[in-house]
Amino acid sequence: MKIIHTADWHLGKELHQNPLETDHTLFLEWLLDCIREQDIEVLLIAGDVFDHANPSNEARKLYFTFLTRMAALGVQVVVIGGNHDSVQMLSSSSELLDLVN
């Protein structure tokens, strides 16, 4: 079984009031390519998916779109909340995560 471990995505983070959405999008595209190329079966996201407990709509969209793409690939996704994540926010993706086992 091939597993890839990631952490500290901090989706929605800004640097000196400049959004990093483009950088986050590029990271998620790179990760998706890596998962495809390496035939990864399980993706572990260990904390700090988002930078704020109540992330922006753009950050949520990036996350949910990525999870949808993982479902299409049949990759099992395991998410562990971090100190920047809210249980309610991460729980809102539980039905989508159920699709990817």
Side-chain angles (χ1 to χ4, degrees), residues 69-98:
R69 295 173 85 182
M70 292 296 94
L73 291 176
V75 175
Q76 184 174 352
V77 179
V78 178
V79 181
I80 301 168
N83 65 317
H84 287 254
D85 300 313
S86 85
V87 172
Q88 293 82 9
M89 181 56 228
L90 292 181
S91 295
S92 68
S93 63
S94 64
E95 290 182 21
L96 184 54
L97 287 170
D98 285 344

Side-chain angles (χ1 to χ4, degrees), residues 22-54:
T22 301
D23 299 276
H24 289 131
T25 299
L26 290 170
F27 162 70
L28 293 174
E29 287 296 326
W30 170 84
L31 183 58
L32 181 66
D33 289 343
C34 181
I35 288 168
R36 281 188 189 130
E37 290 169 9
Q38 299 297 320
D39 294 320
I40 300 297
E41 299 169 64
V42 178
L43 169 64
L44 172 60
I45 308 169
D48 293 340
V49 174
F50 298 103
D51 197 55
H52 305 286
N54 187 19

Side-chain angles (χ1 to χ4, degrees), residues 6 10-11 13 19 47 53 57-58 61 63 70 73 78 80 82 85 90 97:
T6 67
H10 289 276
L11 300 178
K13 183 171 181 66
N57 288 334
E58 294 81 8
K61 183 178 178 183
Y63 176 64
M70 292 296 94
L73 291 176
V78 178
I80 301 168
D85 300 313
L90 292 181
L97 287 170

